[in-house]
Coordinates of all heavy atoms in Angstrom, one line a residue:
A1 N -0.4 3.1 -13.9 CA -0.4 2.2 -12.7 C -0.4 3.1 -11.4 O -0.5 4.3 -11.5 CB 1.0 1.5 -12.7
L2 N -0.5 2.5 -10.3 CA -0.6 3.2 -9.0 C 0.8 3.9 -8.8 O 1.8 3.3 -8.6 CB -0.9 2.2 -7.9 CG -1.2 2.7 -6.5 CD1 -2.5 3.5 -6.5 CD2 -1.3 1.5 -5.6
P3 N 0.8 5.2 -8.8 CA 2.1 5.9 -8.8 C 3.0 5.6 -7.5 O 4.2 5.7 -7.5 CB 1.8 7.4 -8.9 CG 0.4 7.5 -9.1 CD -0.3 6.1 -8.9
S4 N 2.2 5.4 -6.4 CA 2.9 5.2 -5.2 C 3.4 3.8 -4.9 O 4.0 3.5 -3.9 CB 2.0 5.6 -4.0 OG 0.8 4.9 -4.0
A5 N 3.0 2.9 -5.9 CA 3.3 1.5 -5.6 C 4.8 1.2 -5.6 O 5.5 1.6 -6.5 CB 2.6 0.6 -6.6
R6 N 5.3 0.4 -4.6 CA 6.7 0.0 -4.6 C 6.8 -1.4 -4.7 O 7.9 -2.0 -4.8 CB 7.3 0.5 -3.3 CG 7.3 2.0 -3.0 CD 7.9 2.3 -1.7 NE 7.5 1.4 -0.7 CZ 8.0 1.4 0.5 NH1 8.8 2.3 0.9 NH2 7.5 0.5 1.4
G7 N 5.7 -2.2 -4.7 CA 5.8 -3.6 -4.8 C 4.5 -4.3 -4.8 O 3.5 -3.6 -4.9
V8 N 4.5 -5.6 -4.6 CA 3.3 -6.4 -4.6 C 3.3 -7.2 -3.4 O 4.3 -7.8 -3.0 CB 3.3 -7.3 -5.9 CG1 2.1 -8.3 -5.8 CG2 3.3 -6.5 -7.1
A9 N 2.1 -7.2 -2.7 CA 1.9 -8.1 -1.6 C 1.0 -9.2 -2.0 O -0.1 -9.0 -2.6 CB 1.2 -7.4 -0.4
V10 N 1.5 -10.5 -1.9 CA 0.7 -11.6 -2.2 C -0.1 -12.2 -1.1 O 0.6 -12.4 0.0 CB 1.6 -12.8 -2.9 CG1 0.8 -14.0 -3.2 CG2 2.3 -12.3 -4.1
H11 N -1.3 -12.3 -1.2 CA -2.2 -12.7 -0.1 C -2.8 -14.2 -0.4 O -2.8 -14.6 -1.5 CB -3.4 -11.8 0.0 CG -3.0 -10.4 0.4 ND1 -3.3 -9.9 1.6 CD2 -2.4 -9.4 -0.3 CE1 -2.9 -8.6 1.6 NE2 -2.4 -8.3 0.6
Y12 N -3.2 -14.8 0.7 CA -3.9 -16.0 0.6 C -5.1 -16.0 1.5 O -5.0 -15.1 2.5 CB -3.1 -17.2 0.7 CG -2.5 -17.4 2.1 CD1 -3.0 -18.2 3.0 CD2 -1.3 -16.6 2.5 CE1 -2.4 -18.4 4.3 CE2 -0.7 -16.7 3.8 CZ -1.3 -17.6 4.7 OH -0.8 -17.7 5.9
L13 N -6.1 -16.8 1.4 CA -7.3 -16.7 2.1 C -7.1 -17.3 3.6 O -7.9 -17.0 4.4 CB -8.5 -17.4 1.4 CG -8.8 -16.7 0.2 CD1 -9.9 -17.5 -0.6 CD2 -9.4 -15.3 0.4
G14 N -6.1 -18.1 3.7 CA -6.0 -18.7 5.1 C -6.8 -19.9 5.4 O -6.8 -20.4 6.5
T15 N -7.6 -20.3 4.4 CA -8.4 -21.5 4.6 C -7.7 -22.7 4.0 O -6.7 -22.6 3.3 CB -9.7 -21.3 3.9 OG1 -9.5 -20.8 2.5 CG2 -10.6 -20.3 4.6
R16 N -8.2 -23.9 4.4 CA -7.5 -25.2 3.9 C -7.5 -25.1 2.3 O -8.5 -24.7 1.7 CB -8.4 -26.3 4.4 CG -7.7 -27.7 4.2 CD -8.5 -28.7 5.0 NE -9.8 -28.9 4.3 CZ -10.1 -30.0 3.5 NH1 -9.2 -30.8 3.3 NH2 -11.2 -30.2 3.0
Y17 N -6.4 -25.7 1.9 CA -6.3 -25.7 0.4 C -7.1 -26.8 -0.1 O -7.0 -28.0 0.2 CB -4.8 -26.0 0.0 CG -4.6 -26.0 -1.5 CD1 -4.5 -24.9 -2.2 CD2 -4.6 -27.3 -2.1 CE1 -4.4 -24.9 -3.6 CE2 -4.5 -27.4 -3.5 CZ -4.3 -26.2 -4.2 OH -4.3 -26.2 -5.5
D18 N -8.0 -26.5 -1.1 CA -8.8 -27.4 -1.8 C -8.7 -27.2 -3.2 O -9.1 -26.2 -3.8 CB -10.3 -27.4 -1.4 CG -10.6 -28.0 -0.1 OD1 -10.1 -29.1 0.1 OD2 -11.1 -27.4 0.8
S19 N -8.0 -28.1 -4.0 CA -8.0 -28.0 -5.4 C -9.3 -28.0 -6.0 O -10.2 -28.7 -5.5 CB -7.0 -29.0 -6.0 OG -6.7 -28.7 -7.3
R20 N -9.5 -27.3 -7.1 CA -10.8 -27.3 -7.8 C -10.6 -27.2 -9.3 O -9.5 -26.7 -9.8 CB -11.7 -26.1 -7.3 CG -11.3 -24.8 -7.9 CD -12.2 -23.7 -7.4 NE -12.1 -23.6 -5.9 CZ -11.2 -23.0 -5.3 NH1 -10.2 -22.4 -5.8 NH2 -11.2 -22.9 -4.0
P21 N -11.6 -27.8 -10.0 CA -11.5 -27.5 -11.5 C -11.6 -26.0 -11.9 O -12.2 -25.3 -11.2 CB -12.7 -28.3 -12.1 CG -13.5 -28.8 -10.9 CD -12.8 -28.4 -9.7
H22 N -10.8 -25.7 -12.9 CA -10.8 -24.3 -13.3 C -12.2 -23.6 -13.6 O -12.4 -22.4 -13.3 CB -9.9 -24.1 -14.4 CG -9.7 -22.6 -14.9 ND1 -9.1 -21.7 -13.9 CD2 -10.0 -21.9 -15.9 CE1 -9.1 -20.5 -14.5 NE2 -9.7 -20.6 -15.7
E23 N -13.1 -24.4 -14.0 CA -14.5 -23.9 -14.2 C -15.1 -23.3 -13.0 O -16.0 -22.5 -13.1 CB -15.4 -25.0 -14.8 CG -14.9 -25.8 -15.9 CD -14.2 -27.0 -15.5 OE1 -14.8 -28.0 -15.0 OE2 -12.9 -26.9 -15.5
Q24 N -14.5 -23.7 -11.8 CA -15.2 -23.1 -10.6 C -14.4 -21.9 -10.0 O -14.8 -21.2 -9.1 CB -15.1 -24.2 -9.5 CG -16.0 -25.4 -9.8 CD -15.9 -26.5 -8.8 OE1 -15.4 -26.3 -7.6 NE2 -16.3 -27.7 -9.2
C25 N -13.3 -21.6 -10.7 CA -12.5 -20.4 -10.2 C -13.2 -19.1 -10.2 O -13.1 -18.3 -9.3 CB -11.2 -20.4 -10.9 SG -10.0 -21.8 -10.5
A26 N -13.9 -18.8 -11.3 CA -14.6 -17.5 -11.5 C -15.7 -17.4 -10.4 O -15.8 -16.3 -9.8 CB -15.2 -17.4 -12.8
A27 N -16.3 -18.4 -10.1 CA -17.3 -18.3 -9.0 C -16.7 -18.1 -7.6 O -17.2 -17.4 -6.8 CB -18.2 -19.7 -9.0
M28 N -15.6 -18.7 -7.5 CA -14.8 -18.5 -6.2 C -14.3 -17.0 -6.1 O -14.5 -16.4 -5.0 CB -13.5 -19.4 -6.2 CG -12.8 -19.3 -4.9 SD -13.7 -20.0 -3.5 CE -12.6 -19.7 -2.2
V29 N -13.9 -16.4 -7.2 CA -13.5 -15.0 -7.2 C -14.7 -14.1 -6.9 O -14.7 -13.2 -6.0 CB -12.9 -14.5 -8.6 CG1 -12.7 -13.1 -8.6 CG2 -11.6 -15.3 -8.8
R30 N -15.9 -14.5 -7.5 CA -17.2 -13.7 -7.2 C -17.5 -13.8 -5.7 O -18.0 -12.9 -5.1 CB -18.2 -14.1 -8.1 CG -18.1 -13.7 -9.5 CD -19.4 -13.8 -10.3 NE -19.8 -15.3 -10.5 CZ -19.3 -16.0 -11.5 NH1 -18.5 -15.6 -12.4 NH2 -19.7 -17.3 -11.5
S31 N -17.3 -15.0 -5.1 CA -17.7 -15.2 -3.7 C -16.7 -14.5 -2.8 O -17.3 -13.8 -1.9 CB -17.6 -16.8 -3.4 OG -17.1 -17.0 -2.2
V32 N -15.5 -14.3 -3.1 CA -14.6 -13.5 -2.3 C -15.0 -12.0 -2.4 O -15.0 -11.4 -1.4 CB -13.1 -13.8 -2.8 CG1 -12.2 -12.7 -2.1 CG2 -12.6 -15.1 -2.5
R33 N -15.3 -11.6 -3.6 CA -15.7 -10.3 -3.9 C -17.0 -9.9 -3.0 O -17.1 -8.9 -2.4 CB -16.0 -9.9 -5.3 CG -16.5 -8.6 -5.6 CD -16.6 -8.3 -7.1 NE -16.9 -6.9 -7.4 CZ -18.1 -6.4 -7.5 NH1 -19.2 -7.2 -7.4 NH2 -18.3 -5.2 -7.7
Q34 N -18.0 -10.8 -3.1 CA -19.2 -10.6 -2.3 C -18.9 -10.5 -0.8 O -19.5 -9.8 -0.1 CB -20.2 -11.7 -2.7 CG -21.6 -11.3 -2.2 CD -22.1 -10.1 -2.9 OE1 -22.0 -9.9 -4.1 NE2 -22.6 -9.1 -2.0
T35 N -18.0 -11.4 -0.3 CA -17.6 -11.3 1.1 C -17.1 -10.0 1.5 O -17.4 -9.4 2.5 CB -16.6 -12.4 1.4 OG1 -17.1 -13.7 1.0 CG2 -16.1 -12.5 2.8
H36 N -16.3 -9.4 0.6 CA -15.8 -8.0 0.9 C -16.9 -7.0 0.8 O -17.0 -6.1 1.7 CB -14.7 -7.7 -0.2 CG -13.4 -8.5 0.0 ND1 -12.4 -8.4 -0.8 CD2 -13.1 -9.4 1.0 CE1 -11.4 -9.2 -0.4 NE2 -11.8 -9.8 0.7
L37 N -17.8 -7.1 -0.2 CA -18.9 -6.1 -0.3 C -19.8 -6.2 1.0 O -20.4 -5.2 1.4 CB -19.6 -6.4 -1.6 CG -18.9 -6.0 -2.9 CD1 -19.7 -6.4 -4.0 CD2 -18.5 -4.5 -2.9
D38 N -19.9 -7.4 1.5 CA -20.8 -7.6 2.7 C -20.1 -7.3 4.0 O -20.8 -7.4 5.0 CB -21.3 -9.1 2.7 CG -22.2 -9.4 1.6 OD1 -22.7 -8.5 0.9 OD2 -22.4 -10.6 1.3
H39 N -18.9 -6.9 4.0 CA -18.1 -6.7 5.2 C -18.7 -5.6 6.0 O -19.0 -4.5 5.4 CB -16.6 -6.3 4.9 CG -15.8 -6.4 6.1 ND1 -15.8 -5.5 7.0 CD2 -14.9 -7.3 6.5 CE1 -15.0 -5.8 8.0 NE2 -14.4 -6.9 7.7
P40 N -19.0 -5.8 7.3 CA -19.8 -4.8 8.1 C -19.1 -3.5 8.4 O -19.8 -2.5 8.6 CB -20.1 -5.6 9.4 CG -19.0 -6.7 9.5 CD -18.7 -7.0 8.1
T41 N -17.8 -3.5 8.4 CA -17.1 -2.2 8.8 C -16.1 -1.7 7.8 O -15.7 -0.5 8.0 CB -16.3 -2.5 10.2 OG1 -15.4 -3.6 10.0 CG2 -17.3 -2.9 11.2
E42 N -15.7 -2.4 6.8 CA -14.6 -2.0 6.0 C -15.1 -1.0 4.9 O -14.3 -0.3 4.2 CB -13.8 -3.1 5.4 CG -13.0 -4.0 6.3 CD -11.7 -3.3 6.7 OE1 -11.5 -2.1 6.3 OE2 -10.9 -3.9 7.3
N43 N -16.3 -1.0 4.6 CA -16.9 -0.1 3.5 C -16.2 -0.4 2.2 O -15.9 0.6 1.4 CB -16.7 1.3 3.9 CG -17.7 1.7 5.0 OD1 -18.9 1.3 5.0 ND2 -17.2 2.5 6.0
Y44 N -15.9 -1.6 1.9 CA -15.3 -1.9 0.6 C -16.3 -1.6 -0.5 O -17.4 -1.9 -0.5 CB -15.0 -3.5 0.5 CG -13.8 -3.9 1.3 CD1 -13.9 -5.0 2.1 CD2 -12.6 -3.2 1.3 CE1 -12.8 -5.5 2.8 CE2 -11.5 -3.6 2.0 CZ -11.7 -4.8 2.8 OH -10.6 -5.2 3.6
V45 N -15.7 -1.0 -1.6 CA -16.5 -0.7 -2.8 C -16.4 -1.8 -3.9 O -17.0 -1.8 -4.9 CB -16.2 0.6 -3.4 CG1 -16.6 1.8 -2.4 CG2 -14.8 0.8 -3.7
D46 N -15.4 -2.7 -3.7 CA -15.1 -3.7 -4.6 C -14.2 -4.7 -3.9 O -13.9 -4.5 -2.7 CB -14.3 -3.1 -5.8 CG -14.4 -4.0 -7.1 OD1 -14.8 -5.2 -7.0 OD2 -13.8 -3.6 -8.1
I47 N -13.9 -5.8 -4.6 CA -12.9 -6.8 -4.0 C -11.7 -6.0 -3.6 O -11.4 -5.1 -4.3 CB -12.7 -7.9 -5.0 CG1 -11.9 -9.1 -4.4 CG2 -11.9 -7.3 -6.3 CD1 -11.9 -10.4 -5.2
A48 N -11.0 -6.4 -2.5 CA -9.9 -5.7 -2.0 C -8.6 -5.9 -2.8 O -7.7 -5.2 -2.5 CB -9.8 -6.0 -0.5
Y49 N -8.6 -6.8 -3.7 CA -7.4 -7.2 -4.3 C -7.3 -6.5 -5.7 O -8.3 -6.4 -6.4 CB -7.2 -8.7 -4.5 CG -7.3 -9.4 -3.2 CD1 -8.5 -10.1 -2.9 CD2 -6.3 -9.4 -2.3 CE1 -8.6 -10.8 -1.7 CE2 -6.5 -10.1 -1.0 CZ -7.6 -10.8 -0.8 OH -7.7 -11.4 0.4
N50 N -6.1 -6.2 -6.2 CA -5.9 -5.7 -7.5 C -6.2 -6.8 -8.6 O -6.8 -6.6 -9.6 CB -4.5 -5.1 -7.8 CG -4.3 -3.9 -6.8 OD1 -3.7 -4.1 -5.8 ND2 -4.8 -2.8 -7.2
L51 N -5.5 -8.0 -8.2 CA -5.7 -9.1 -9.2 C -5.8 -10.3 -8.3 O -5.4 -10.3 -7.1 CB -4.3 -9.2 -10.0 CG -4.0 -8.1 -11.0 CD1 -2.6 -8.3 -11.5 CD2 -5.0 -7.9 -12.0
V52 N -6.4 -11.4 -9.0 CA -6.5 -12.7 -8.3 C -5.9 -13.6 -9.3 O -6.2 -13.6 -10.5 CB -7.9 -13.0 -8.0 CG1 -8.0 -14.4 -7.4 CG2 -8.6 -12.0 -7.1
V53 N -5.1 -14.5 -8.9 CA -4.5 -15.6 -9.7 C -4.9 -16.9 -9.2 O -5.0 -17.1 -7.9 CB -3.0 -15.5 -9.9 CG1 -2.5 -14.2 -10.5 CG2 -2.3 -15.6 -8.5
C54 N -5.2 -17.9 -10.0 CA -5.7 -19.2 -9.6 C -4.5 -20.2 -9.8 O -3.6 -19.9 -10.4 CB -7.0 -19.6 -10.2 SG -6.8 -20.1 -11.9
E55 N -4.8 -21.3 -9.3 CA -3.8 -22.4 -9.4 C -3.5 -22.9 -10.8 O -2.5 -23.5 -11.1 CB -4.2 -23.6 -8.5 CG -5.5 -24.3 -9.0 CD -5.9 -25.5 -8.2 OE1 -5.3 -26.5 -8.2 OE2 -6.9 -25.3 -7.4
H56 N -4.4 -22.5 -11.7 CA -4.3 -22.9 -13.1 C -3.5 -21.9 -13.9 O -3.4 -22.0 -15.1 CB -5.7 -23.2 -13.7 CG -6.5 -24.0 -12.8 ND1 -7.5 -23.6 -12.0 CD2 -6.5 -25.4 -12.6 CE1 -8.0 -24.5 -11.3 NE2 -7.5 -25.6 -11.7
G57 N -3.1 -20.8 -13.2 CA -2.3 -19.8 -13.9 C -3.2 -18.6 -14.6 O -2.7 -17.8 -15.2
A58 N -4.5 -18.7 -14.4 CA -5.4 -17.7 -14.9 C -5.3 -16.5 -14.0 O -5.1 -16.5 -12.8 CB -6.8 -18.1 -15.0
V59 N -5.5 -15.3 -14.5 CA -5.4 -14.0 -13.8 C -6.8 -13.4 -13.9 O -7.3 -13.2 -15.0 CB -4.4 -13.0 -14.3 CG1 -4.4 -11.7 -13.6 CG2 -3.0 -13.7 -14.3
F60 N -7.4 -13.1 -12.8 CA -8.7 -12.4 -12.8 C -8.4 -10.9 -12.4 O -7.7 -10.7 -11.4 CB -9.6 -13.0 -11.8 CG -10.0 -14.5 -12.1 CD1 -9.2 -15.5 -11.7 CD2 -11.1 -14.8 -12.8 CE1 -9.5 -16.8 -12.0 CE2 -11.4 -16.1 -13.1 CZ -10.6 -17.1 -12.7
V61 N -9.1 -10.0 -13.0 CA -8.9 -8.6 -12.7 C -9.8 -8.3 -11.5 O -11.0 -8.5 -11.6 CB -9.2 -7.7 -13.8 CG1 -9.2 -6.2 -13.5 CG2 -8.2 -7.9 -15.0
G62 N -9.3 -7.8 -10.4 CA -10.1 -7.4 -9.3 C -10.3 -5.9 -9.5 O -11.2 -5.5 -10.3
R63 N -9.7 -5.1 -8.6 CA -9.9 -3.6 -8.8 C -9.1 -3.1 -10.1 O -9.3 -2.0 -10.5 CB -9.3 -2.9 -7.6 CG -10.1 -3.2 -6.4 CD -9.7 -2.4 -5.2 NE -10.6 -2.6 -4.1 CZ -10.6 -1.8 -3.0 NH1 -9.8 -0.8 -2.9 NH2 -11.5 -2.2 -2.1
G64 N -8.1 -4.0 -10.5 CA -7.3 -3.5 -11.6 C -6.0 -2.8 -11.1 O -5.9 -2.6 -9.9
V65 N -5.1 -2.5 -12.0 CA -3.9 -2.0 -11.6 C -3.8 -0.6 -11.3 O -2.7 -0.1 -10.8 CB -2.7 -2.4 -12.6 CG1 -2.6 -4.0 -12.6 CG2 -3.0 -1.9 -13.9
R66 N -4.8 0.2 -11.6 CA -4.7 1.6 -11.4 C -5.3 2.0 -10.1 O -5.4 3.2 -9.7 CB -5.4 2.4 -12.5 CG -4.7 2.2 -13.9 CD -5.3 2.9 -15.0 NE -4.8 2.5 -16.2 CZ -3.6 3.0 -16.7 NH1 -2.9 3.9 -16.0 NH2 -3.1 2.6 -17.8
K67 N -5.8 1.1 -9.3 CA -6.6 1.4 -8.1 C -5.8 1.0 -6.9 O -5.1 0.0 -6.9 CB -7.9 0.6 -8.1 CG -8.9 1.0 -9.2 CD -9.5 2.3 -9.0 CE -10.3 2.9 -10.2 NZ -11.1 2.0 -10.9
R68 N -6.0 1.7 -5.8 CA -5.4 1.4 -4.6 C -6.2 0.2 -4.0 O -7.4 0.2 -3.9 CB -5.5 2.6 -3.6 CG -4.5 2.5 -2.4 CD -4.5 3.7 -1.6 NE -5.8 3.8 -0.8 CZ -6.1 4.8 -0.1 NH1 -5.3 5.9 -0.1 NH2 -7.3 4.8 0.5
P69 N -5.4 -0.9 -3.6 CA -6.1 -2.0 -3.0 C -6.6 -1.8 -1.6 O -6.3 -0.7 -1.0 CB -5.1 -3.1 -3.0 CG -3.8 -2.3 -2.8 CD -4.0 -1.0 -3.6
G70 N -7.4 -2.7 -1.0 CA -7.8 -2.5 0.4 C -7.5 -3.7 1.3 O -8.0 -3.8 2.4
A71 N -6.5 -4.5 0.8 CA -6.3 -5.7 1.4 C -5.0 -5.7 2.3 O -4.7 -6.7 2.9 CB -6.2 -6.9 0.4
N72 N -4.2 -4.6 2.3 CA -2.9 -4.8 2.8 C -2.8 -4.3 4.4 O -1.7 -4.1 4.9 CB -1.9 -3.9 2.0 CG -1.6 -4.6 0.7 OD1 -1.7 -5.8 0.6 ND2 -1.3 -3.8 -0.3
G73 N -3.9 -4.0 5.0 CA -4.0 -3.8 6.3 C -3.8 -2.4 6.8 O -3.8 -2.1 8.0
G74 N -3.8 -1.4 5.9 CA -3.7 0.0 6.3 C -3.6 0.9 5.1 O -3.2 0.4 4.0
T75 N -3.9 2.1 5.2 CA -3.9 3.0 4.1 C -2.4 3.2 3.5 O -2.3 3.2 2.3 CB -4.4 4.5 4.5 OG1 -5.7 4.3 5.1 CG2 -4.4 5.4 3.3
S76 N -1.5 3.3 4.3 CA -0.1 3.5 3.8 C 0.4 2.2 3.1 O 1.0 2.3 2.0 CB 0.9 3.9 4.9 OG 1.1 2.8 5.7
Q77 N 0.1 1.0 3.7 CA 0.4 -0.2 3.0 C -0.3 -0.4 1.7 O 0.2 -0.9 0.7 CB 0.1 -1.4 3.9 CG 0.9 -1.5 5.2 CD 0.2 -0.9 6.4 OE1 -0.5 0.1 6.3 NE2 0.2 -1.5 7.5
N78 N -1.6 0.1 1.6 CA -2.4 0.0 0.4 C -1.9 1.0 -0.6 O -2.0 0.6 -1.8 CB -3.8 0.2 0.8 CG -4.5 -1.0 1.5 OD1 -4.1 -2.1 1.2 ND2 -5.4 -0.6 2.3
A79 N -1.3 2.0 -0.2 CA -0.7 3.0 -1.1 C 0.6 2.5 -1.7 O 1.1 2.9 -2.8 CB -0.6 4.3 -0.5
S80 N 1.3 1.6 -1.0 CA 2.7 1.2 -1.3 C 2.7 -0.1 -2.0 O 3.7 -0.4 -2.7 CB 3.5 1.2 -0.1 OG 3.6 2.4 0.6
Y81 N 1.7 -0.9 -1.9 CA 1.8 -2.3 -2.4 C 0.5 -2.7 -3.2 O -0.6 -2.4 -2.6 CB 2.2 -3.3 -1.4 CG 3.4 -3.0 -0.7 CD1 3.6 -2.3 0.4 CD2 4.6 -3.5 -1.4 CE1 4.8 -2.1 0.9 CE2 5.9 -3.3 -0.8 CZ 5.9 -2.6 0.4 OH 7.2 -2.3 0.9
Y82 N 0.7 -3.2 -4.3 CA -0.5 -3.9 -4.9 C -0.8 -5.1 -4.1 O 0.0 -5.7 -3.5 CB -0.2 -4.4 -6.4 CG 0.0 -3.2 -7.3 CD1 1.2 -2.9 -7.9 CD2 -1.1 -2.5 -7.7 CE1 1.3 -1.9 -8.9 CE2 -1.1 -1.5 -8.6 CZ 0.1 -1.1 -9.1 OH 0.3 -0.1 -10.1
A83 N -2.1 -5.5 -4.1 CA -2.5 -6.7 -3.4 C -3.0 -7.8 -4.4 O -3.9 -7.4 -5.2 CB -3.6 -6.4 -2.4
V84 N -2.4 -8.9 -4.4 CA -2.7 -10.0 -5.3 C -3.0 -11.2 -4.5 O -2.3 -11.5 -3.6 CB -1.6 -10.3 -6.3 CG1 -1.8 -11.6 -7.1 CG2 -1.1 -9.1 -7.1
L85 N -4.2 -11.8 -4.8 CA -4.7 -12.9 -4.1 C -4.3 -14.2 -4.8 O -4.6 -14.3 -6.0 CB -6.2 -12.9 -3.9 CG -6.8 -14.2 -3.3 CD1 -6.4 -14.4 -1.9 CD2 -8.3 -14.1 -3.4
A86 N -3.5 -15.0 -4.2 CA -3.3 -16.4 -4.8 C -4.4 -17.2 -4.4 O -4.5 -17.6 -3.2 CB -1.9 -16.9 -4.2
L87 N -5.4 -17.5 -5.3 CA -6.5 -18.2 -5.0 C -6.3 -19.7 -4.8 O -5.5 -20.3 -5.5 CB -7.6 -18.0 -6.2 CG -9.0 -18.5 -5.9 CD1 -9.6 -17.7 -4.8 CD2 -9.7 -18.4 -7.2
H88 N -6.9 -20.2 -3.7 CA -6.8 -21.6 -3.5 C -8.0 -22.1 -2.9 O -8.9 -21.4 -2.7 CB -5.5 -21.9 -2.6 CG -5.6 -21.2 -1.4 ND1 -6.3 -21.7 -0.3 CD2 -5.1 -20.0 -0.9 CE1 -6.2 -20.8 0.8 NE2 -5.5 -19.8 0.3
Ligands
ZN1 ZN1 -8.4 -21.8 -12.1

């Protein structure tokens, strides 16, 4: 695991909640990942979250648990907390 991690930061997308059938969740995760890869200034190499969980209880592996996330707003926060997206 990330040796410097002290906890987990749970994120949400900040958009309106729209429930969806679980068959659409993987496409939603891919769309979030592509948004990060297309970001003009962040230089993301992957989705910024370690893990993504959906409303159906499924867990999608983002960067995985051994990688520093990019979603917590700064290098020290990213070194200290895993980033998990609660997908909605
Ligand atoms: Zn789902």
Side-chain angles (χ1 to χ4, degrees):
L2 188 64
S4 57
R6 299 182 317 179
V8 173
V10 177
H11 295 250
Y12 63 102
L13 294 174
T15 47
R16 192 170 69 102
Y17 179 83
D18 283 309
S19 193
R20 73 178 62 78
H22 183 62
E23 307 90 78
Q24 297 176 15
C25 289
M28 185 68 186
V29 173
R30 287 194 296 271
S31 142
V32 170
R33 178 174 188 269
Q34 195 58 52
T35 301
H36 289 177
L37 291 177
D38 290 344
H39 194 285
T41 58
E42 290 282 7
N43 290 316
Y44 288 133
V45 294
D46 198 353
I47 193 167
Y49 306 105
N50 298 100
L51 298 172
V52 179
V53 295
C54 75
E55 63 183 288
H56 313 98
V59 178
F60 298 86
V61 176
R63 294 188 175 191
V65 296
R66 295 180 190 280
K67 299 283 171 43
R68 196 174 72 187
N72 289 334
T75 303
S76 68
Q77 296 94 318
N78 285 329
S80 300
Y81 297 94
Y82 288 113
V84 176
L85 173 64
L87 188 64
H88 56 84

